[in-house]
């Protein structure tokens, strides 16, 4: 059964897991290390087969603060979040303004989590004012936490620039890269040329997950798998083709 992430973001790969996981899980027997270079919500790391050594990385300090507190101070984090009203816009605004100022790692993670869960589309920019029964709230999200605890407890959690993950390179390393490619999310865009160059320098296997495009199609890959993702916006239904570009055995 799929493990849900404790928070959401645009581009979380939830809909693509059925296509991604069989490819990654097939490499479990030949690789000891799984390195999730752009971890995001953690959907892939939470659901991929358990590798002997799991590395979760993201440049977003809020995400890393949360997952480190979840791993190292689980009970304290749960108790801290109980202090917040499950759907208070005033508390959300307070957390949004002050989470980065908190020196206590548990309080910092709790405020970030309130900001993330109760924001529109998980972007942490605007309060998710929604009068339907799908109003996001912290209490409902926390119900899945016990199911995630054992998995997250085994993660090595990093807050590095993506290129620094090369320090984990070895012949038995599997790097998974799903880089940000939507500037509206507020991320620094990374050139595909830079990612491909980095991938070619690795001893281990590199899997790049990206929309199918001209530049990546022109490169030489060990293997490539295409899949289609369907999206809905009201009555409009569309689809996009993505691919897993693989270098290495």
């Amino acid at each position: 059964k799929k493990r849900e992430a404790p928070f959401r973001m645009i581009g979380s790969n939830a809909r693509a897991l059925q296509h991604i996981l069989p490819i990654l899980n097939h490499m479990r027997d030949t690789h000891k290390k799984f390195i999730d270079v752009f971890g995001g919500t953690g959907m892939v790391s939470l659901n991929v087969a358990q590798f002997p050594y799991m590395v979760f990385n993201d440049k977003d300090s809020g995400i890393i603060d949360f997952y480190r507190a979840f791993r190292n101070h689980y009970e304290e984090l749960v108790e801290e979040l109980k202090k917040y009203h499950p759907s208070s816009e005033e508390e959300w605004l307070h957390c949004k303004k002050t989470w980065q100022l908190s020196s206590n790692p548990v309080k910092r993670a709790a405020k970030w989590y309130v900001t993330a869960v109760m924001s529109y589309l998980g972007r942490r920019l605007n309060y998710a004012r929604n009068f339907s029964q799908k109003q996001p709230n912290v209490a409902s999200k926390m119900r899945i936490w016990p199911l995630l605890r054992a998995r997250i407890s085994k993660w090595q959690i990093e807050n590095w620039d993506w290129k620094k993950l090369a320090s984990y390179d070895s012949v038995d390393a599997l790097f998974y890269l799903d880089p940000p490619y939507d500037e509206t999310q507020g991320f620094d865009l990374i050139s595909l040329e830079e990612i491909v160059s980095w991938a070619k320098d690795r001893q281990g296997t590199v899997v790049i997950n990206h929309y199918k495009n001209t530049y990546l199609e022109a490169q030489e890959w060990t293997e490539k798998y295409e899949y289609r993702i369907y999206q809905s916006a009201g009555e409009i239904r569309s689809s996009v083709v993505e691919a897993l570009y693989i270098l290495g055995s």
Side-chain angles (χ1 to χ4, degrees):
K1 185 178 179 180
K2 182 178 72 175
R3 298 179 181 90
E4 297 294 334
F7 57 93
R8 67 173 183 164
M9 292 169 58
I10 292 177
S12 69
N13 271 328
R15 295 178 180 176
L17 282 181
Q18 61 180 313
H19 306 288
I20 298 170
L21 293 182
I23 305 303
L24 299 179
N25 291 346
H26 182 69
M27 303 181 191
R28 165 63 178 76
D29 293 337
T30 53
H31 297 79
K32 294 182 178 179
K33 292 183 283 189
F34 178 79
I35 302 100
D36 196 347
V37 178
F38 302 98
T41 63
M43 278 299 294
V44 172
S45 287
L46 286 169
N47 288 282
V48 73
Q50 181 70 49
F51 285 66
Y53 198 80
M54 303 280 292
V55 180
F56 176 88
N57 179 73
D58 203 277
K59 195 176 179 180
D60 188 320
S61 62
I63 291 174
I64 298 306
D65 286 343
F66 168 74
Y67 271 126
R68 283 177 175 165
F70 189 105
R71 181 191 64 187
N72 301 331
H73 308 285
Y74 181 85
E75 290 82 4
E76 294 175 61
L77 183 59
V78 169
E79 291 304 312
E80 184 66 25
L81 282 165
K82 287 180 181 178
K83 299 176 182 179
Y84 293 96
H85 188 278
S87 56
S88 166
E89 183 173 2
E90 183 177 0
E91 289 188 354
W92 179 84
L93 286 169
H94 171 73
C95 290
K96 181 176 184 289
K97 292 177 180 178
T98 63
W99 77 266
Q100 290 178 301
L101 304 176
S102 300
S103 58
N104 182 294
V106 175
K107 293 182 182 296
R108 180 181 170 93
K111 287 182 177 181
W112 179 89
Y113 190 69
V114 170
T115 304
V117 170
M118 295 170 61
S119 63
Y120 179 66
L121 296 178
R123 291 188 175 187
R124 291 167 269 161
L125 298 176
N126 301 295
Y127 180 71
R129 187 178 288 102
N130 186 340
F131 297 103
S132 74
Q133 293 183 351
K134 295 183 179 180
Q135 171 77 20
N137 67 72
V138 171
S140 63
K141 282 291 185 182
M142 289 176 65
R143 292 181 190 133
I144 66 169
W145 282 22
L147 303 175
L148 310 179
R149 192 176 181 186
R151 169 60 68 106
I152 295 170
S153 70
K154 296 180 172 65
W155 287 1
Q156 173 64 31
I157 301 174
E158 306 289 10
N159 184 207
W160 291 353
D161 177 81
W162 67 276
K163 287 177 285 188
K164 190 177 178 182
L165 273 296
S167 62
Y168 284 103
D169 194 18
S170 63
V171 293
D172 59 358
L174 173 58
F175 294 91
Y176 174 74
L177 288 80
D178 182 14
Y181 37 76
D182 182 354
E183 57 193 357
T184 64
Q185 295 182 46
F187 298 114
D188 295 328
L189 296 186
I190 301 165
S191 73
L192 290 176
E193 292 86 349
E194 192 173 12
I195 288 176
V196 171
S197 176
W198 184 90
K200 289 179 178 179
D201 287 337
R202 303 282 67 80
Q203 297 180 65
T205 302
V206 178
V207 178
I208 300 171
N209 187 22
H210 204 281
Y211 290 128
K212 188 176 177 182
N213 67 62
T214 304
Y215 176 75
L216 291 175
E217 290 297 306
Q219 308 304 308
E220 292 186 9
W221 304 99
T222 306
E223 294 180 88
K224 185 186 76 170
Y225 297 90
E226 295 182 8
Y227 60 93
R228 186 175 295 275
I229 295 294
Y230 292 92
Q231 303 168 326
S232 298
E235 297 181 355
I236 302 175
R237 193 164 187 257
S238 61
S239 67
V240 63
V241 175
E242 298 194 9
L244 295 173
Y245 300 93
I246 303 174
L247 275 177
S249 57

